[in-house]
Amino acid sequence: ITIQAGTARRVNRLILPSQLAWMPNNLVDGEDLALTDYYVSADGIRFLRRRLAPAGIELEGPGHRRFYLAKSTGTRRLLNESELRAILPEFDVEPVSPERLGLDDQIRMFADAQLIIAESGAALTNLLFCPPGTRVVVLVAERWNACTYSQISGVLDQEMRFVTGTLLEKHHKKYQSGFTIDP
């Protein structure tokens, strides 16, 4: 039932679902993000982890694989990714493209993670399935304030660090700006 603004209705029973997460979805161009703009419920994180994991997948680790989450060309903000990918073998880190895998395969892969290196982006939501103790390195541009991934990581006892790069291509939506990371 659509209710016009300023209109009151009497109801017999009102069901108000809990809000398990909050993040801004209508960012204004040029607006800074603040840490207080984000909230993710610890109960919601634990529920999704239990509910989505296929039977037989161990989520408590320890993990053994070391990944770099490669992005498709059209969504990349990290402008010197090729330079970083060139040094990954020195650290036994394998590049992977999660978007090319089905959900069950992504969950299996992340459930065996020891180290994740990634530019910020949706693929990091798979932290839901990483074991406690997984080390996570997030590559971001300077002045980055989004904290959804660190909230997930904190609830699941993972270790997250941010490596801040140099802003090169300013975008009117700051979180879309191009940057580089010194290899």
Side-chain angles (χ1 to χ4, degrees):
I1 300 170
T2 303
I3 300 175
Q4 297 297 321
T7 303
R9 294 278 187 218
R10 185 177 302 274
V11 296
N12 292 327
R13 183 173 171 210
L14 176 66
I15 299 172
L16 182 62
S18 297
Q19 188 161 340
L20 297 177
W22 166 254
M23 65 180 285
N25 59 358
N26 293 316
L27 295 175
V28 175
D29 291 350
E31 182 178 79
D32 282 328
L33 295 171
L35 296 177
T36 54
D37 288 337
Y38 294 86
Y39 168 76
V40 181
S41 160
D43 290 336
I45 290 168
R46 291 185 193 102
F47 172 78
L48 288 173
R49 182 177 171 90
R50 282 190 314 270
R51 183 77 173 168
L52 295 174
I57 293 185
E58 174 59 46
L59 297 177
E60 298 307 313
H64 300 91
R65 295 177 68 187
R66 302 162 68 90
F67 302 112
Y68 169 74
L69 304 184
K71 283 190 154 203
S72 61
T73 306
T75 62
R76 191 178 305 142
R77 294 178 306 274
L78 179 58
L79 302 175
N80 67 329
E81 182 190 45
S82 60
E83 292 176 39
L84 294 177
R85 284 180 77 150
I87 65 170
L88 293 177
E90 294 176 41
F91 302 96
D92 297 320
V93 175
E94 60 182 297
V96 296
S97 298
E99 72 271 11
R100 294 184 179 153
L101 302 172
L103 180 60
D104 285 0
D105 289 334
Q106 287 184 47
I107 294 171
R108 279 185 189 83
M109 182 179 80
F110 281 86
D112 194 26
Q114 176 189 56
L115 170 70
I116 303 287
I117 301 171
E119 180 184 338
S120 64
L124 275 176
T125 305
N126 283 307
L127 293 174
L128 282 169
F129 310 111
C130 290
T134 300
R135 291 172 294 152
V136 184
V137 178
V138 184
L139 310 173
V140 296
E142 57 194 77
R143 298 182 62 202
W144 180 260
N145 284 333
C147 65
T148 302
Y149 306 117
S150 58
Q151 288 183 14
I152 294 170
S153 187
V155 167
L156 299 175
D157 294 322
Q158 299 157 354
E159 298 176 29
M160 180 171 283
R161 300 291 184 267
F162 291 84
V163 175
T164 305
T166 303
L167 193 63
L168 290 184
E169 293 179 356
K170 288 188 177 182
H171 191 280
H172 59 277
K173 292 188 177 174
K174 292 181 181 181
Y175 61 92
Q176 294 292 341
S177 296
F179 65 99
T180 59
I181 298 285
D182 182 352

